[in-house]
Amino acid sequence: MAAFLARRLGAAVLVAFGVATITFLLIHLAPGSPLAGSGENPYVSAEAIAQMRRNFALDRPIHIQYVRYLTNLLRGDWGLSFTMHRPVLDAFRDALPNTLLLAAAALLVDFLLGVTVGTLQGMRPGSRFDRVCSAVTLTLYSVPTFWLGLMLVLVFGQELGWLPVSGVVDPALYHARDILGKLWDRAAHLILPALTLGLIGAAATARYQRAAVLEVIRQDFIRTARAKGLSERAVAVHALRNAVLPTITLFGLSLPVLLSGAVLVETVFAWPGMGRLAFEAIQRRDYPVVTGAATLVALAVVAGNFVADVLTRIADPRTREAQ
Amino acid sequence: MGLAAVGLLYLIALLAPVLAPYDPAAQLDLVAGRLLPASLAHPLGTDALSRDLLSRLLFGARLSLSIAALAVVVAVTVGTAVGLAAGLAGGVVDAALMRSVDAALAIPRVFLLIVILALWEHGGIAALVLVLGLTGWFGTSRLVRAEVQSLKQRDFVLAARALGLPAWRIALRHILPNATAPIIVSATLGVGNTILIEAALSFLGIGVRPPMPSWGNMIADGQAFLATAPWQAIVPGAAVVLTVMTFSVLGEALRETIDPRTR
Amino acid sequence: MTHRALLLVSAATALASACREAPRCPGDWCGTAVLVSSEPGVLLPPVTQTDADFWITEMVFSKLAELGPSLSTVGDSGFVPELAQTWAWDTPTTLRFTLNPRAHWHDGRPVTAQDVAFTFDVYRDSVVNAGARPLLEEIASVTAADSHTVAFQFRRSYPEAFFDAAFQMWILPRHVLDTVPRNRLASHPLGRNPIGSGPFRFVRWTTGQSIELAGDSSYALGRPGLRRVVWRFIPDMPAGVTQLVAGEADAAQALVTPELLDRLRGAPHLNLTPFALSAYSYVGFNLRAPGRPGSPHPLFGDRALRRAVAMAVDREAAVRAVLGNLGALPSGPFAPWLWMASESPGPLPFDTAAAKRSLDSLGWRPGADGVRARSGRRLEFDLLVPTTSAPRRRIAVIVQDQLRRVGIAMQITELDFNTFISRAQAGRFDAAFLSLVSDPSPRSIRQPWTRAGFAGSNYQRYDNPEFDRLTDQAVAEWNRERATALWHQAIAVINADVPAIWIYVPRPVLVAHRRFVDTALRPDLWTARLWQWRVNPDALIERDRVIAP
């Protein structure tokens, strides 16, 4: 196990390093330079622009910038944001919890709903319930994330007026509320973005889970269990335990998809997370924020895969022996 | 049925110039013709610049479908080539290629696309297709490699090898035809997926650029009028859903026909 | 009266009294305004850049004097005191300010003459790279005579000297910043946790969401009307309008489309006041070959062709379609509220017949596809448009259609803002849909349109010695009427040359909830007088009673 862990960890670090390098090159070799805001000022001068490049060390050759960036990265210095004039890590520290909250809530929706529906479907393939759910999951699976978000905003935010459609809390009242009021404020703001992100994932999970349960249910031990007269409930528990394994693997793989979706959901709901931070940074050519975000995201995804690997090994003794 | 539906979609896209009642970029009447609801003259109404929404939807179909199809062709070609190479070569080459694929899969694709498309001056539709294709082959290459590895041990390949045929000939004549089925299934599903991604990029303003209509930027245009003219965003979104669904149905139908295990 | 009616009446009375006694102002001072804007980058005066930076900085920091209601920048009569209580000219080039003894920093320390001298030093430091640095060139030195008297020494006497001294700098707290190395100043934590001397003190900044400010009850010019201001960050204007209409936000400077304006109008609780901004947007023609400033542009090097293109564009129709009456048509490169703007000569009129005639006579003949050509060269060019500006994107599409009708093929290239600006700065474009924000002085016309701006914002490389001469004279003229006449002559010259088509001056609306009274506004910076706003004590809502820590 220790050797396995070490090997995976080494690979993870390597991947993160690769991603940092690729992003650094992509952004530094791209046309356009980080001059946000100065462009439409009538008093802009070539001298001021040159000074700005000097201030951010952009006048050095690219390989020197690259080596400097990497050594600083290793020392825990992720650089200064060009547009926010603050350390990149500080900006991440503000944005990351919001994205983690959103992702956790979405994953909860995703797996609770997906595994439940998928298992129920798989237990009774061909039933009306199964067919209806299949149609629904197929439809949801084909919906663009941002469009689902817009539709939820339209229905629950604008037409019904039930839920807030932007931000994390109500800034004018949040700090004056008691603890319960604060919790509710947060929850109300979380519902729509988490649903947007979670529902589409749930559709995929349900389809996956249904197939997995079908596979298991055809196997001998379930037939035996049924033949022995075990209740359907006991059979379901049996089937679930064996079918949930591939779904755990799916968890690791679904992380990049989830983060891709987060960029769009955060844009639609003005959710101040990593996705929005990164997207805005790209548009403003805020180099250190973009490279930092890419590195962080890669680390997160690699970590997700790592966790999934470990979980699979613990859950399934066969892989333990095979490795 | 899925095949017929996809055929119909492409027929519509192909015939867009004939079917569309108006030029999709023409601003018909900037004074009185903006954001009109559906009517006989404009079955889906008009947008904020008085352009006919149905015509834009049809031309959008043309653009979205061809971008997706071409991108998938690029992706499948590259993916197959890499998968074959890795599977056949084995050893260090295999390890290097597959670890690179792992690294690439670790970056969320939308994020990677945003970085590339937002930063580099846009080179038009061709660049978009290329970028979508070149970021979409990772999965296919894994699939093909797995297929190759199982086929490699089969008798007919071993026999061909014993006859001393060169590796590329074995790959093209004996392995590839037998690996076609899963490639086709993944390509079909890939088209739907690519349409979704193209829509997302255009929604963010970095995919297809105006005045060319793509479903994604039609939704983005409609977002501003969500409160006053919601159909502006609903209609193109529904078109995306229907199209992607069609490809999913086709993909699953193909899988079931080709791969009896899932039946 | 039936039993049921009686019940109804009593219920109504109970409800009414409940409403009356519900919100009460704690103490004699309350009111919260939720304002919407995009998120600022940094709140440290010399390095502020975006609109949001300026709006919020203006509320937290203060200047020596502010621009008064006349908006006149010549001499000192148009200014009202802020940190400075009085001022006097000792010689024509020496200006002495006496600071208000009540002026203090939000941490309690007094504002001193040393703070003013330190501020000038920071703004002039090339490492800090302050946006206003070039505007302070004529000031030779700033010295503190004693703790409340500071003297500005100018290199020469000129009409807008006072404007430069008083208006370009927000005064900085020396006691916080004087030990900070200048190359680290921009990233000093003060930029996210500012200590100023303005009417509002900073409370908190929640990244990506909001900034909270509290009225400073001991502000030197008097207690602000509002006790609390919350800036709420929104991704785009439609989202802001949704919040204003829903009552989640109270006020904004809203740059909106006609559709959004209709939504705002539909909300009975909002007051709308349109005004003109100090920015103008224009389609600038590159007079030099893209990437080769040594030779003229193959199309737009020709003055007659530029004039023909300009006459083919119906600015009125384009601006009305996209902005309704939320866009004014500029008569030159300036905002219509500038003191020299009234009765200025306008640009060439819209006249397709004249445009076609002119194109014919220049040898540009319509081809088979409707696009004109001359000796094998098609009359086509590329217009750069930044993706960040929705009005520009939409107007560009309309202009494209208008030009097509006279046989000119205009391609639209949409670029993200940074790429757009770097292309403009490098001169790699045919035409670009640019926009300039100017200060309240017509002087800012010179940078983008004379030789002085060749290394700066004169991206078109427009160069007419006559125009340069007239603007030099106008800037040096002390007499308002004579200066206005000189400006008008200069405008006539540039409008005849058509280095650009002046498309629109945005007219945002000041949106404010009806419960606010005295909603004063200065068009160049809408938050400058926000400290005078008050809330009607009879119309308080829940958030008005919340008090900042």
Side-chain angles (χ1 to χ4, degrees):
Chain A
M1 193 77 179
F4 164 78
L5 282 178
R7 207 166 52 232
R8 299 294 311 197
L9 220 56
V13 170
L14 218 62
V15 166
F17 167 79
V19 170
T21 306
I22 292 170
T23 329
F24 183 91
L25 288 177
L26 270 179
I27 189 163
H28 279 259
L29 296 177
S33 61
L35 299 165
S38 66
E40 304 206 323
N41 167 4
Y43 297 105
V44 66
S45 66
E47 181 203 351
I49 293 168
Q51 181 64 46
M52 189 137 88
R53 296 184 66 82
R54 269 198 301 284
N55 285 357
F56 289 115
L58 290 170
D59 53 339
R60 315 266 176 82
I62 184 160
H63 61 274
I64 292 184
Q65 290 186 49
Y66 174 67
V67 170
R68 222 177 81 138
Y69 178 75
L70 277 190
T71 42
N72 283 345
L73 203 62
L74 286 178
R75 276 185 284 151
D77 173 6
W78 292 40
L80 272 180
S81 157
F82 294 170
T83 56
M84 295 177 281
H85 299 279
R86 64 190 298 217
V88 170
L89 271 187
D90 285 0
F92 289 174
R93 205 167 291 140
D94 286 340
L96 194 61
N98 291 327
T99 295
L100 289 181
L101 180 68
L102 176 61
L107 272 181
L108 201 70
V109 174
D110 181 334
F111 277 81
L112 273 187
L113 214 60
V115 170
T116 313
V117 170
T119 309
L120 291 177
Q121 278 184 276
M123 297 293 292
R124 288 183 205 79
S127 66
R128 187 190 291 171
F129 175 79
D130 178 33
R131 275 178 290 146
V132 170
C133 285
S134 284
V136 171
T137 52
L138 182 70
T139 314
L140 264 181
Y141 194 59
S142 313
V143 173
T145 325
F146 59 95
W147 189 71
L148 180 64
L150 286 181
M151 293 301 113
L152 290 178
V153 167
L154 182 64
V155 175
F156 294 99
Q158 289 183 353
E159 294 303 315
L160 298 172
W162 288 354
L163 291 165
V165 296
S166 86
V168 175
V169 294
D170 180 337
L173 294 173
Y174 179 75
H175 296 283
R177 286 187 167 134
D178 58 12
I179 181 87
L180 274 178
K182 282 184 174 167
L183 270 179
W184 168 243
D185 198 352
R186 282 189 173 274
H189 281 83
L190 182 60
I191 292 174
L192 289 185
L195 273 184
T196 307
L197 202 52
L199 277 180
I200 291 175
T205 310
R207 298 181 76 75
Y208 206 87
Q209 179 71 13
R210 174 181 180 272
V213 168
L214 269 181
E215 189 100 329
V216 171
I217 221 154
R218 290 200 188 108
Q219 283 169 12
D220 292 341
F221 70 98
I222 295 285
R223 283 205 199 129
T224 321
R226 274 196 172 141
K228 280 203 303 201
L230 252 76
S231 71
E232 272 305 294
R233 214 176 131 160
V235 173
V237 170
H238 243 78
L240 188 63
R241 190 183 300 152
N242 283 280
V244 89
L245 197 65
T247 313
I248 291 178
T249 325
L250 189 68
F251 161 79
L253 293 175
S254 68
L255 211 59
V257 180
L258 197 72
L259 287 170
S260 291
V263 175
L264 291 152
V265 172
E266 290 180 3
T267 305
V268 171
F269 290 96
W271 190 265
M274 287 299 295
R276 206 172 124 211
L277 182 71
F279 183 57
E280 284 176 1
I282 292 169
Q283 291 190 314
R284 295 180 192 155
R285 292 287 195 285
D286 198 335
Y287 295 176
V289 176
V290 179
T291 22
T295 312
L296 194 68
V297 163
L299 278 175
V301 172
V302 170
N305 280 333
F306 179 73
V307 171
D309 275 353
V310 174
L311 283 180
T312 316
R313 278 173 71 86
I314 294 170
D316 185 357
R318 276 169 303 174
T319 47
R320 216 178 298 165
E321 283 147 25
Q323 286 280 331
Chain B
M1 195 191 82
L3 204 61
V6 168
L8 187 67
L9 276 173
Y10 271 94
L11 195 68
I12 290 173
L14 208 65
L15 293 178
V18 185
L19 293 173
Y22 301 92
D23 174 352
Q27 298 157 16
L28 304 165
D29 179 0
L30 278 172
V31 182
R34 307 168 58 243
L35 294 170
L36 294 178
S39 65
L40 272 181
H42 302 284
L44 294 175
T46 59
D47 75 357
L49 290 176
S50 78
R51 297 175 294 197
D52 180 59
L53 213 57
L54 176 64
S55 307
R56 290 181 69 70
L57 198 70
L58 290 171
F59 274 89
R62 199 175 155 90
L63 206 58
S64 293
L65 286 171
S66 24
I67 289 177
L70 289 173
V72 166
V73 169
V74 173
V76 164
T77 313
V78 177
T80 306
V82 172
L84 274 179
L88 285 175
V92 184
V93 178
D94 182 28
L97 283 175
M98 285 303 115
R99 287 298 82 75
S100 312
V101 167
D102 283 347
L105 280 172
I107 312 177
R109 188 169 170 205
V110 168
F111 190 89
L112 185 65
L113 285 164
I114 292 173
V115 172
I116 299 173
L117 290 170
L119 291 181
W120 296 77
E121 267 175 80
H122 89 114
I125 301 293
L128 184 63
V129 166
L130 212 63
V131 173
L132 278 171
L134 291 180
T135 54
W137 57 266
F138 311 127
T140 313
S141 72
R142 271 188 169 176
L143 193 83
V144 172
R145 173 181 169 271
E147 205 67 28
V148 170
Q149 284 202 321
S150 74
L151 286 170
K152 232 163 54 170
Q153 306 308 322
R154 300 271 282 276
D155 290 345
F156 62 94
V157 176
L158 293 176
R161 186 164 288 172
L163 285 172
L165 287 176
W168 61 268
R169 262 197 82 172
I170 299 176
L172 287 185
R173 294 288 294 276
H174 299 280
I175 293 187
L176 199 53
N178 286 291
T180 317
I183 295 178
I184 289 178
V185 172
S186 98
T188 313
L189 295 172
V191 174
N193 195 23
T194 311
I195 290 177
L196 282 179
I197 291 183
E198 182 271 319
L201 294 173
S202 300
F203 174 74
L204 291 172
I206 52 176
V208 175
R209 314 272 172 145
M212 271 186 283
S214 115
W215 291 339
N217 60 35
M218 287 173 73
I219 298 175
D221 287 345
Q223 189 187 10
F225 308 105
L226 208 54
T228 44
W231 69 90
Q232 300 276 330
I234 294 178
V235 168
V240 175
V241 175
L242 279 177
T243 309
V244 176
M245 227 158 83
T246 311
F247 279 98
S248 301
V249 170
L250 176 65
E252 303 226 328
L254 281 177
R255 195 207 316 259
E256 280 176 27
T257 329
I258 293 165
D259 182 357
R261 272 172 302 177
T262 55
R263 211 173 303 174
Chain C
M1 194 183 276
T2 66
H3 192 69
R4 178 176 285 184
L6 198 75
L7 223 132
L8 252 168
V9 168
S10 58
T13 333
L15 200 73
S17 64
C19 281
R20 240 196 327 272
E21 68 189 20
R24 272 260 155 262
C25 200
D28 64 334
W29 185 32
C30 63
T32 295
V34 176
L35 313 178
V36 292
S37 89
S38 56
E39 182 163 17
V42 61
L43 298 180
L44 192 67
V47 286
T48 44
Q49 267 186 338
T50 67
D51 285 348
D53 292 356
F54 284 112
W55 296 345
I56 304 177
T57 302
E58 171 71 14
M59 296 172 74
V60 177
F61 289 87
S62 39
K63 298 172 176 174
L64 287 171
E66 274 290 3
L67 200 53
S70 73
L71 300 174
S72 170
T73 54
V74 173
D76 58 8
S77 61
F79 291 85
V80 293
E82 194 173 9
L83 280 179
Q85 200 162 32
T86 57
W87 55 81
W89 289 91
D90 291 345
T91 74
T93 54
T94 314
L95 173 62
R96 184 166 40 81
F97 290 97
T98 308
L99 300 186
N100 186 332
R102 284 164 40 99
H104 63 92
W105 298 106
H106 295 144
D107 62 4
R109 300 219 192 183
V111 177
T112 65
Q114 283 76 17
D115 287 321
V116 180
F118 171 76
T119 302
F120 175 74
D121 192 44
V122 170
Y123 268 80
R124 281 298 291 162
D125 193 325
S126 65
V127 173
V128 176
N129 215 12
R133 181 168 175 263
L135 297 165
L136 302 169
E137 259 167 10
E138 299 294 345
I139 302 173
S141 70
V142 175
T143 41
D146 58 51
S147 68
H148 279 89
T149 315
V150 63
F152 280 65
Q153 183 62 50
F154 292 89
R155 295 185 205 284
R156 60 185 181 86
S157 169
Y158 61 103
E160 293 186 321
F162 185 88
F163 172 62
D164 286 342
F167 191 80
Q168 311 294 359
M169 295 180 287
W170 279 290
I171 305 305
L172 294 167
R174 189 177 77 115
H175 63 279
V176 183
L177 292 173
D178 64 347
T179 54
V180 180
R182 289 294 158 81
N183 59 358
R184 300 245 189 87
L185 197 88
S187 57
H188 190 273
L190 191 75
R192 291 188 66 82
N193 197 359
I195 298 169
S197 56
F200 293 89
R201 80 187 149 79
F202 174 86
V203 177
R204 68 168 73 85
W205 183 338
T206 314
T207 310
Q209 301 178 59
S210 59
I211 283 179
E212 187 170 340
L213 308 176
D216 177 9
S217 58
S218 53
Y219 177 53
L221 297 186
R223 191 175 78 179
L226 296 172
R227 187 144 190 187
R228 200 168 69 115
V229 167
V230 176
W231 285 90
R232 189 170 184 170
F233 309 145
I234 43 140
D236 52 28
M237 217 48 236
V241 168
T242 303
Q243 294 188 2
L244 287 162
V245 170
E248 288 170 35
D250 294 317
Q253 172 191 293
L255 263 172
V256 292
T257 56
E259 287 74 24
L260 290 175
L261 183 65
D262 285 345
R263 284 184 63 202
L264 289 169
R265 284 216 181 95
H269 61 277
L270 297 175
N271 270 327
L272 308 181
T273 321
F275 64 102
L277 210 62
S278 55
Y280 58 97
S281 298
Y282 58 95
V283 170
F285 298 119
N286 194 352
L287 272 53
R288 298 275 136 194
R292 282 179 296 121
S295 38
H297 190 278
L299 295 176
F300 300 130
D302 180 359
R303 181 173 181 265
L305 178 68
R306 296 200 303 270
R307 289 174 62 93
V309 174
M311 284 190 288
V313 174
D314 186 356
R315 307 186 296 157
E316 173 101 43
V319 173
R320 290 293 156 262
V322 174
L323 295 167
N325 54 3
L326 294 174
L329 298 181
S331 39
F334 49 82
W337 52 261
L338 245 54
W339 54 263
M340 40 55 80
S342 62
E343 291 171 41
S344 150
L348 294 178
F350 166 58
D351 185 345
T352 32
K356 282 183 187 157
R357 264 200 314 278
S358 171
L359 288 170
D360 286 338
S361 70
L362 289 169
W364 295 99
R365 302 282 173 195
D369 58 350
V371 177
R372 289 170 187 266
R374 185 171 74 180
S375 44
R377 193 199 159 92
R378 280 156 56 89
L379 185 44
E380 60 184 356
F381 67 95
D382 204 35
L383 176 74
L384 305 188
V385 180
T387 51
T388 41
S389 168
R392 276 186 260 174
R393 290 169 74 173
R394 293 207 209 151
I395 290 174
V397 179
I398 297 176
V399 169
Q400 181 181 44
D401 200 48
Q402 291 173 349
L403 290 179
R404 191 179 50 80
R405 290 173 198 209
V406 297
I408 302 171
M410 180 179 88
Q411 253 59 258
I412 296 176
T413 300
E414 295 202 342
L415 299 170
D416 76 273
F417 188 74
N418 281 282
T419 315
F420 172 76
I421 285 299
S422 5
R423 286 272 298 266
Q425 276 164 348
R428 289 194 298 120
F429 65 101
D430 297 325
F433 206 152
L434 290 148
S435 183
L436 283 174
V437 184
S438 63
D439 56 27
S441 157
R443 190 178 56 178
S444 58
I445 293 172
R446 288 202 304 166
Q447 293 301 320
W449 305 106
T450 67
R451 267 182 171 271
F454 268 20
S457 56
N458 188 351
Y459 306 132
Q460 302 72 209
R461 301 216 144 221
Y462 172 60
D463 184 16
N464 184 335
E466 176 70 1
F467 180 75
D468 291 15
R469 187 182 61 78
L470 284 166
T471 52
D472 282 349
Q473 283 180 2
V475 167
E477 177 58 57
W478 287 85
N479 179 296
R480 274 270 293 267
E481 267 149 47
R482 281 201 297 274
T484 304
L486 285 165
W487 278 116
H488 288 181
Q489 286 179 42
I491 301 306
V493 169
I494 195 171
N495 281 349
D497 282 343
V498 196
I501 308 175
W502 323 120
I503 306 281
Y504 71 98
V505 168
R507 292 184 79 220
V509 277
L510 173 71
V511 184
H513 194 283
R514 280 193 193 281
R515 70 180 198 281
F516 295 117
V517 290
D518 299 339
T519 49
L521 164 80
R522 207 177 75 202
D524 67 305
L525 192 53
W526 74 284
T527 55
R529 294 192 193 136
L530 211 138
W531 66 279
Q532 293 165 351
W533 292 23
R534 289 185 301 111
V535 64
N536 176 356
D538 296 326
L540 300 184
I541 61 172
E542 188 189 0
R543 59 174 167 264
D544 284 324
R545 298 182 302 143
V546 176
I547 288 169

